[in-house]
Amino acid sequence: MANLRSTMYFFLLALQLLVLLQTNVLCYQYKVGDLDAWGIPTSANPQVYTKWSKYHTTKIGDSLLFLYPPSQDSLIQVTEESFNSCNLKDPILYINNGNSLFNITAHGEFYFTSGKQGNCEKKQKLHISVFSGNGSADSPSYGPGISPSYPTVFGSIPQPPSSSLSSSSSSSPSLSFPIFIAALAGFLVSAFICE
């Protein structure tokens, strides 16, 4: 009988480990443009990035990979207004390494374009919406003089030192703590069941 309880205990622990591992595997890395690299859309597929964002549903924890020749292009994250007008000044994020990874860490609307002058006007730009559980993108709003700051794989973008406005950075709640608490509770329950 003791052997059966011990087997059941290890089975419950293995099941908990499997559930914990599965929650971390559900994040994806998407190559923007799929088979096409980050570049000016071709005449055969001028809406490549519009179509791409329609057919890919992103969520917190996913990441976007932009591949391009670093000597010929770059990637910038911009506001909606800058996206619509192709204004490349004052980007939120600037990356020019040719292998740019953007981690999605919050719900909202994200706007990207090429950092090379003229490419945005040629439709080298991407808009994605990361929806919350209720189906809304919960786009953050910024007041005058406050620039947005997104946590990324490269760290948070710091606020300008001359800014006297204090802004609280809104980061999404981490999933690690609730999963840890659930695992701990499951461990304690299984320990009491198997005794």
Side-chain angles (χ1 to χ4, degrees), residues 107-109 129-139:
H107 297 112
E109 306 287 331
S129 300
V130 180
F131 296 104
S132 63
N134 64 8
S136 71
D138 292 335
S139 180

Side-chain angles (χ1 to χ4, degrees), residues 1-10:
M1 189 68 167
N3 191 18
L4 180 62
R5 285 183 186 240
S6 176
T7 304
M8 186 176 186
Y9 176 74
F10 284 115

